[in-house]
Amino acid sequence: MKITDIKSFVIRAGLPVSYPHPTASYVADGAIFLEIHTDEGIIGFGEPGPYGGKLEDIQKEIADLLKNIFIGKDPFQVSLLTVQLENLGIPAYGNTPRQAALAGISQALWDIVGKSVGIPVYRLINQTGEVKTKIRAYASGGMYYEHEPTELFVEEAILAKEQGYTAWKLRPQTPVTASHFERNKHPPKVDIPGMVKILEDVRLAVGSGMDLMVDLGCRLVTVDDALDFAIRVEDLDLLFIEEPIPRILVDYVQLIQRSPVPIAGGECFVSRHQFLEWLPALDILQPDCNLAGMTEAKHVLQCAQQEGKGCILHNWTNDINCAANLHLAASSVSCVMVESNTTCNPLRSHLVIEPFVPIDGFFHMNDKPGLGIEIDRDRITTQ
Ligand SMILES: [Mg+2]
């Protein structure tokens, strides 16, 4: 089989104008997906991370560079993705729009191989039969503007519990101005006592039977700030604190040695090499197929298993990438849970036919070949 074309599409959500709460930045700015076509008529789908850079830069990487490399190649060489590129003298890692595109290509190649042999990707990755057919999901929301009432966090956590979730994650108050990328460059200060109070209120409301987590989005400044926060929330029995400080390796190495609460991170990493470097700096690894790609993330999960590290997949974008993450999680014993984005996203359930949606707090795998999804061409508008 030979690859004949790679096409990429930008999709936009069309949010209701009056929507009062923050959304993931790709809901307003647009997301991207790709198709790999083959000479046997099989089409594979992939979703590059919209956080890999400007969507037009990701599309340009595909159109100007990657398409020329992959056309004519055999999709069954999927596991050689990195090696192929390095042999061609093109560094696979270090350019984030390119990496986002490669991650999408990696998903689509696995999809094609699965479809070609008639096997779901999770059973292809792990052929021992020791796969999971249901995967624990955590509700990932708790995203409100700084001026909104803090009771909203409590109401949402209770709703998640009523929906059957056994774990819920929240974020600090979102500033009205500043995009995701600006917030990353210049993190707005977090009101630490206010944040601790919200977590205390939520714990009181949901009781002890629910796991709680907080994603600080690198918004605290120093290791001491993060330790101060961790000590203040120690008694609330949080499952983890995600990315409390900027992504500086030596700081995280210090932090996990002293923090009473486990520290999670890795959503922005693009390769197994980065995760290996960060193993001494994180308690819980959070790879995501939309930046790491399926092949690299598969190696990260194997490494986590060997090193005894917990792995909870980051999974914040749309239905194609969600499917890729779930197939990976289903194939691995080291992945204990997958994120389920519960914030408002009209793209969810519109991009693919029969998307993976958690029921009673669990994602359920199906036996369809490949990633088990098809694009809903009647319902999406691309450009
Ligand atoms: Mg995060």
Side-chain angles (χ1 to χ4, degrees), residues 88-341:
L88 288 162
I90 294 167
Y93 301 105
N95 169 321
T96 317
R98 180 177 307 163
Q99 183 52 38
L102 279 170
I105 289 172
S106 169
Q107 296 170 26
L109 291 175
W110 278 100
D111 190 24
I112 290 170
V113 171
K115 283 171 174 165
S116 173
V117 297
I119 296 175
V121 170
Y122 68 103
R123 293 192 184 277
L124 200 59
I125 293 175
N126 182 348
Q127 296 181 22
T128 67
E130 290 169 18
V131 293
K132 298 194 279 279
T133 53
K134 59 188 269 196
I135 300 150
R136 187 182 175 206
Y138 76 83
S140 183
M143 191 159 80
Y144 297 102
Y145 289 119
E146 51 200 355
H147 63 267
E148 293 188 88
T150 56
E151 293 77 32
L152 290 173
F153 290 93
V154 174
E155 288 167 17
E156 187 186 314
I158 291 171
L159 179 67
K161 189 177 178 182
E162 287 169 357
Q163 288 170 338
Y165 285 106
T166 52
W168 183 73
K169 186 174 87 181
L170 75 162
R171 295 151 173 80
Q173 295 89 338
T174 306
V176 176
T177 53
S179 71
H180 167 85
F181 291 110
E182 285 160 10
R183 283 206 301 280
N184 256 15
K185 266 194 227 152
H186 309 288
K189 263 181 100 72
V190 176
D191 164 18
I192 292 182
M195 214 37 230
V196 174
K197 175 77 170 64
I198 291 170
L199 283 162
E200 286 170 348
D201 290 352
V202 169
R203 173 55 81 204
L204 198 62
V206 298
S208 59
M210 187 140 181
D211 281 323
L212 294 177
M213 302 88 93
V214 60
D215 180 356
L216 291 176
C218 310
R219 283 173 59 176
L220 303 184
V221 180
T222 65
V223 174
D224 284 342
D225 292 340
L227 280 172
D228 173 41
F229 180 81
I231 290 163
R232 286 175 191 240
V233 297
E234 184 177 357
D235 292 341
L236 298 176
D237 197 23
L238 299 188
L239 189 65
F240 62 74
I241 299 172
E242 178 174 327
E243 295 197 311
I245 50 176
R247 295 158 181 158
I248 299 167
L249 177 60
V250 289
D251 287 352
Y252 275 82
V253 172
Q254 273 192 45
L255 180 59
I256 71 160
Q257 286 167 2
R258 296 161 63 195
S259 173
V261 182
I263 302 295
E267 66 180 59
C268 62
F269 295 166
V270 299
S271 73
R272 74 189 89 170
H273 310 297
Q274 272 182 308
F275 277 96
L276 273 175
E277 202 184 356
W278 276 72
L279 276 180
L282 296 169
D283 296 301
I284 294 168
L285 311 181
Q286 297 177 299
D288 188 327
C289 284
N290 74 3
L291 275 182
M294 287 202 83
T295 308
E296 287 297 291
K298 177 171 81 74
H299 287 291
V300 173
L301 292 192
Q302 283 164 352
C303 178
Q305 192 176 343
Q306 282 160 12
E307 300 291 328
K309 291 272 178 182
C311 210
I312 297 177
L313 293 190
H314 185 266
N315 183 43
W316 179 248
T317 53
N318 297 295
D319 293 332
I320 299 173
N321 186 55
C322 179
N325 280 327
L326 290 177
H327 278 268
L328 203 60
S331 74
S332 165
V333 289
S334 54
C335 180
V336 292
M337 192 157 59
V338 173
E339 181 173 24
S340 168
N341 183 341

